[in-house]
Amino acid sequence: MKLDTFDSTRHFRTEVARRAAFIPVIMNAILASAARHLAFVSGIPDTISEAYHNKCLQILIPVLDDPCDVLDENLCAAIIILRQYEEYDGEFLRGP
């Protein structure tokens, strides 16, 4: 799945990737999705993506549990990337 399909300025490829160096929730979401994708396309066992996914959730859950916190664009980007991560588990990508 290409996250920049309808974005001519390629924010996920450029801006979100740049932010990952400074924002752990984005970095862990990217690493989880990348590890899951690599295992999916190569057929090798997925041994690491869950650890990155869990690290990401450890950051996200407290923020999402507090109704006073406002979701910023960094958290939204991480949630979108995690959604992509989840799609590698489903029949969506494998087909019938």
Side-chain angles (χ1 to χ4, degrees):
M1 170 190 295
K2 292 185 179 185
L3 296 175
D4 285 328
T5 300
F6 300 106
D7 181 5
S8 62
T9 57
R10 308 280 191 252
H11 280 95
F12 272 90
R13 181 180 297 172
T14 57
E15 182 61 25
V16 175
R18 184 191 65 75
R19 289 180 187 198
F22 306 100
I23 302 174
V25 71
I26 293 176
M27 176 61 79
N28 284 295
I30 289 172
L31 291 172
S33 186
R36 177 66 54 95
H37 176 72
L38 180 62
F40 178 79
V41 298
S42 68
I44 63 172
D46 181 1
T47 59
I48 193 71
S49 72
E50 188 175 351
Y52 291 120
H53 183 259
N54 289 339
K55 287 180 185 180
C56 190
L57 291 180
Q58 287 173 351
I59 298 167
L60 274 176
I61 289 172
V63 174
L64 296 175
D65 280 344
D66 187 351
C68 295
D69 281 335
V70 176
L71 284 178
D72 68 5
E73 58 193 19
N74 295 316
L75 295 178
C76 289
I79 290 168
I80 291 167
I81 295 166
L82 288 179
R83 177 63 184 117
Q84 179 184 27
Y85 165 90
E86 292 172 356
E87 288 183 3
Y88 292 119
D89 276 344
E91 292 297 316
F92 175 76
L93 292 178
R94 291 187 185 94

